[in-house]
C-alpha cells in the first residue's frame, strides 16, 4: 500500500517562497474560521426541529451529547494538524496512514462535502435575501431567483419558470473574489462576519432570558411515544444526531494548516477553541429558545426563532435574525470554498489531479486557478440546480472523513509512535474508537438514498483516480524510479 511518509509531509510543510501558500493565520483567525462555518443557519432552524420532533426542552442535552461526539474527532484532528501541518486535512492524514487509494477516496469525499455544502447554502442564502428585501418592499423578478427547473405563481395567478438563481451565483462569485486575494483578507472579512453573527446570537440570549416561562421546561424530557427517537432518552440521542450537523465545520480549520503561523501550536487552538465556543453558545441558545415558547410550537417550522421572538416585545429582532442568517450563510460559503480549494491544492500537488489546481498566484500566494474553476462550477450549480436535488450529502461525507481521521490516529500511534507531537490525543485508542463508533452510528441512521448518492459519487471518483490520478501520482512515480522525490 503506497503511503506518504511523515518525513515527506514535514518537508512539504516546511516549504516557503514562490509556489507555496502564504502563512498569515494565527490562533484567533482559526477560531474565527471555525466559528464562521459552525454557526450557520442550521442553528436557527435545526434547533427547533430537534426540540419539536425528538428531544423537547432537553434539546440542550442533545447539544451536549453531539458536542462530546464531535470532541472525539476534534481531538484526533488536532493531533494530526499539529503533527502534519499540511493543507488537505483528512485527505493528507489518510495518505500518511492508510495509503493513496484511501486518501483519494477521502479527498473526493471532501470535495463532495464542500461543493454541495457551498451550493446548498448559496441557494438558501438567496431565499433568505428575498425575505429580507420583502420587509422593505423590494421584490426581485421571479425568473432571476429560481433555477430553470423551478416555477412560481405570481400575484396575478400566472406561473413563470426561472432562468437562473442569480443572487446565489453572485454570492459565490463575490466570495471567490475575496478568498483569491489571500487568506489574510478573507480571514479579516470572516472575523467581521463572525463578530456580527455571534453578536446577534448573544442579543437573542440576553434579551430573551428575562421572558423565559419556566412552565415550558416541564416536562424537561417528554415521555417517549413508544417509538425510538420520539422523546424520552432515545429522543435526546436522536436529537443529538440532528444537532450534530450544526457542529460541522471545525474540520475545515484543518485544511488551512499550510497557511497558519506556528501550526503546531495554533491548529489545536483553532480546532478545539471553535468547538468549545460554539458548544457554549448552542446550549444557551437552545435553553432560551425552548424557554420562550413550548417545544410543540416549533413543529414543522424551519424558523423557530421567529416563533420565540413573538413571545417578547422585541418584534424588531425578526429582521435582525434574518440578517444574521444571511451573515451566517455568507461565512459558511467562504469557509467551504476555502476548504475545498485547499483539498484540491493538496491532491493536485500529489499529481492526483491536474497541475492547474496547485498553481499559486505570484502576488496573492493563493491557488487562484483552483479558486476560479471551483467558484465558477459551484456558482453554476447554485444557479441552475434546485435546492431539493442537492440532498444531504454534506453530512455523510463529513462523518466518513471523521471515521478515517480517528482510525488514522490509531494506526499512526502504532506505525510511528516516536514522532514528535506538540499535541497528543488523550487516551488512545479509547478516544478514537469512541469517535469511530459515534460517527458510524450517525451514518447508519441516515436514509438509504443518501448512501446511494455517496456510492455513485465515489464510483465517479474511483473512475477518475484509475483513469488519471494513479497514472500521474508523483509518489507512485517516485517509487517506480520515474522521478525523484
Amino acid at each position: 500500500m503506497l503511503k506518504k511518509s511523515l518525513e515527506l509531509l514535514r518537508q512539504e510543510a516546511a516549504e516557503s517562497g514562490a509556489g507555496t501558500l502564504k502563512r498569515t493565520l494565527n490562533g484567533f483567525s482559526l477560531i474565527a474560521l471555525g466559528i464562521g462555518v459552525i454557526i450557520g443557519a442550521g442553528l436557527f432552524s435545526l434547533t427547533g426541529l430537534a426540540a419539536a420532533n425528538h428531544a423537547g426542552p432537553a434539546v440542550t442535552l442533545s447539544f451536549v451529547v453531539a458536542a462530546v461526539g464531535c470532541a472525539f474527532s476534534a481531538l484526533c484532528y488536532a493531533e494530526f494538524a499539529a503533527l502534519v501541518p499540511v493543507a488537505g486535512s483528512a485527505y493528507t492524514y489518510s495518505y500518511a496512514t492508510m495509503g493513496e487509494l484511501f486518501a483519494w477516496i477521502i479527498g473526493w469525499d471532501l470535495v463532495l462535502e464542500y461543493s454541495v455544502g457551498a451550493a446548498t447554502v448559496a441557494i438558501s442564502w438567496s431565499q433568505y435575501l428575498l425575505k429580507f428585501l420583502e420587509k422593505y418592499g423590494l421584490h426581485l423578478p421571479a425568473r432571476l431567483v429560481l433555477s430553470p427547473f423551478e416555477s412560481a405563481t405570481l400575484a396575478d395567478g400566472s406561473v413563470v419558470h426561472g432562468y437562473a438563481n442569480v443572487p446565489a451565483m453572485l454570492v459565490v462569485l463575490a466570495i471567490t473574489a475575496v478568498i483569491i486575494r489571500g487568506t489574510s483578507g478573507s480571514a479579516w472579512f470572516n472575523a467581521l462576519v463572525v463578530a456580527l453573527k455571534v453578536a446577534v446570537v448573544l442579543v437573542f440570549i440576553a434579551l430573551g432570558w428575562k421572558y423565559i416561562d419556566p412552565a415550558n421546561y416541564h416536562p424537561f424530557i417528554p415521555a417517549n411515544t413508544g417509538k425510538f427517537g420520539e422523546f424520552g432518552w432515545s429522543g435526546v440521542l436522536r436529537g443529538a444526531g440532528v444537532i450534530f450537523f450544526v457542529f460541522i465545520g471545525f474540520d475545515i480549520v484543518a485544511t488551512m494548516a499550510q497557511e497558519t503561523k506556528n501550526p503546531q501550536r495554533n491548529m489545536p487552538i483553532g480546532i478545539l477553541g471553535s468547538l468549545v465556543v460554539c458548544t457554549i453558545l448552542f446550549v444557551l441558545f437552545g435553553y432560551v429558545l425552548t424557554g420562550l415558547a413550548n417545544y410543540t410550537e416549533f413543529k414543522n417550522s424551519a424558523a423557530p426563532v421567529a416563533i420565540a421572538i413573538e413571545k417578547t416585545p422585541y418584534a424588531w429582532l425578526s429582521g435582525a435574525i434574518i440578517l444574521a442568517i444571511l451573515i451566517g450563510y455568507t461565512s459558511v460559503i467562504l469557509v467551504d470554498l476555502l476548504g475545498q480549494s485547499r483539498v484540491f491544492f493538496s491532491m493536485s500537488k500529489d499529481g492526483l489531479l491536474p497541475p492547474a489546481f496547485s498553481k499559486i498566484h505570484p502576488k496573492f500566494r493563493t491557488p487562484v486557478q483552483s479558486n476560479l474553476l471551483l467558484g465558477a462550477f459551484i456558482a453554476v450549480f447554485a444557479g441552475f440546480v434546485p435546492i431539493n436535488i442537492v440532498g444531504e450529502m454534506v453530512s455523510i461525507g463529513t462523518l466518513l472523513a471523521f471515521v478515517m481521521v480517528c482510525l488514522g490516529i490509531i494506526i499512526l500511534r502504532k506505525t510511528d509512535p516516536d514522532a514528535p507531537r506538540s499535541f497528543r490525543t488523550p487516551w488512545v485508542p479509547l478516544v478514537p474508537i469512541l469517535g469511530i463508533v459515534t460517527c458510524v452510528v450517525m451514518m447508519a441512521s441516515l436514509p438509504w438514498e443518501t448512501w446511494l448518492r455517496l456510492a455513485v459519487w465515489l464510483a465517479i471518483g474511483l473512475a477518475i483516480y484509475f483513469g488519471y490520478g494513479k497514472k500521474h501520482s508523483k509518489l507512485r512515480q517516485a517509487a517506480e524510479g520515474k522521478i525523484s522525490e
Side-chain angles (χ1 to χ4, degrees):
M1 187 181 299
L2 196 62
K3 298 180 183 179
K4 260 194 174 183
S5 67
L6 287 181
E7 182 58 35
L8 181 58
L9 289 173
R10 293 192 191 100
Q11 290 176 13
E12 292 180 10
E15 292 176 353
S16 61
T20 62
L21 298 172
K22 188 176 181 180
R23 295 189 183 275
T24 59
L25 305 177
N26 55 30
F28 175 78
S29 301
L30 293 172
I31 290 176
L33 282 171
I35 294 174
V37 74
I38 295 172
I39 300 183
L43 176 64
F44 303 106
S45 58
L46 292 181
T47 305
L49 293 174
N53 299 325
H54 305 295
V59 69
T60 52
L61 297 181
S62 296
F63 273 120
V64 174
V65 172
V68 171
C70 285
F72 295 137
S73 299
L75 288 167
C76 295
Y77 263 98
E79 176 171 331
F80 262 128
L83 180 66
V84 189
V86 179
S89 183
Y91 159 75
T92 302
Y93 310 154
S94 298
Y95 216 148
T97 55
M98 285 169 276
E100 185 174 276
L101 179 58
F102 280 101
W104 170 266
I105 292 173
I106 290 301
W108 191 246
D109 173 64
L110 291 174
V111 170
L112 172 68
E113 173 192 341
Y114 299 150
S115 296
V116 175
T120 304
V121 173
I123 297 169
S124 292
W125 184 93
S126 174
Q127 294 177 354
Y128 275 103
L129 177 66
L130 297 181
K131 292 183 179 180
F132 185 76
L133 293 178
E134 286 171 1
K135 287 183 171 291
Y136 300 94
L138 300 175
H139 301 275
L140 298 179
R143 294 184 184 277
L144 300 181
V145 295
L146 297 172
S147 78
F149 304 97
E150 296 174 298
S151 61
T153 302
L154 302 181
D156 61 2
S158 61
V159 177
V160 297
H161 290 272
Y163 292 150
N165 192 331
V166 176
M169 299 177 73
L170 290 178
V171 71
V172 171
L173 295 176
I175 295 175
T176 297
V178 170
I179 64 176
I180 281 176
R181 294 192 61 83
T183 51
S184 59
S186 56
W188 175 89
F189 169 78
N190 188 68
L192 176 62
V193 168
V194 169
L196 292 171
K197 186 165 49 175
V198 172
V200 171
V201 174
L202 291 175
V203 166
F204 172 77
I205 294 171
L207 295 182
W209 196 278
K210 61 190 291 189
Y211 297 99
I212 288 175
D213 182 358
N216 289 326
Y217 295 129
H218 300 288
F220 187 68
I221 303 179
N224 183 261
T225 62
K227 185 177 180 180
F228 182 88
E230 291 186 1
F231 308 108
W233 281 104
S234 69
V236 173
L237 295 177
R238 178 65 61 82
V242 174
I243 294 299
F244 175 85
F245 307 115
V246 177
F247 284 94
I248 290 173
F250 68 83
D251 58 310
I252 295 180
V253 174
T255 68
M256 308 305 295
Q258 235 168 317
E259 291 157 273
T260 301
K261 302 174 183 176
N262 191 8
Q264 287 79 6
R265 170 183 175 273
N266 287 325
M267 290 306 296
I269 290 175
I271 292 171
L272 299 175
S274 59
L275 182 60
V276 170
V277 171
C278 289
T279 299
I280 294 172
L281 289 176
F282 288 0
V283 169
L284 292 174
F285 186 89
Y287 182 80
V288 172
L289 186 76
T290 53
L292 289 174
N294 189 277
Y295 70 93
T296 57
E297 297 184 55
F298 301 133
K299 191 78 173 177
N300 300 321
S301 173
V305 178
I307 296 174
I309 290 175
E310 292 177 358
K311 310 297 181 179
T312 77
Y314 303 109
W316 58 268
L317 264 181
S318 176
I321 292 299
I322 293 179
L323 181 60
I325 292 175
L326 282 171
I327 294 171
Y329 273 144
T330 302
S331 60
V332 171
I333 297 170
L334 183 147
V335 183
D336 273 342
L337 291 176
L338 274 174
Q340 187 195 50
S341 65
R342 273 45 178 183
V343 172
F344 259 58
F345 172 81
S346 294
M347 296 174 77
S348 176
K349 283 201 70 174
D350 292 330
L352 303 182
L353 286 172
F357 289 107
S358 56
K359 187 174 181 179
I360 300 296
H361 191 279
K363 178 181 178 181
F364 302 136
R365 299 271 296 279
T366 56
V368 173
Q369 291 193 33
S370 176
N371 290 138
L372 289 172
L373 289 170
L374 293 171
F377 169 74
I378 295 172
V380 170
F381 195 72
F384 292 93
V385 179
I387 194 169
N388 62 303
I389 293 180
V390 295
E392 295 182 355
M393 295 302 295
V394 178
S395 302
I396 196 167
T398 305
L399 286 167
L400 179 57
F402 285 5
V403 169
M404 290 297 189
V405 170
C406 292
L407 183 59
I409 286 295
I410 297 175
I411 294 173
L412 203 58
R413 286 291 183 92
K414 295 289 186 181
T415 58
D416 204 339
D418 300 323
R421 293 168 167 86
S422 58
F423 179 88
R424 297 177 67 89
T425 303
W427 305 310
V428 174
L430 178 61
V431 166
I433 289 175
L434 289 174
I436 292 170
V437 171
T438 302
C439 293
V440 169
V441 168
M442 292 185 186
M443 290 176 71
S445 68
L446 294 172
W448 69 268
E449 294 92 345
T450 304
W451 283 89
L452 178 61
R453 296 188 192 104
L454 177 65
V456 171
W457 177 258
L458 292 180
I460 295 172
L462 288 173
I464 295 174
Y465 171 73
F466 287 108
Y468 179 90
K470 187 175 181 180
K471 298 176 183 177
H472 295 82
S473 166
K474 293 181 180 179
L475 190 63
R476 186 174 300 277
Q477 291 177 356
E480 294 173 355
K482 294 180 181 179
I483 62 173
S484 61
E485 292 188 46

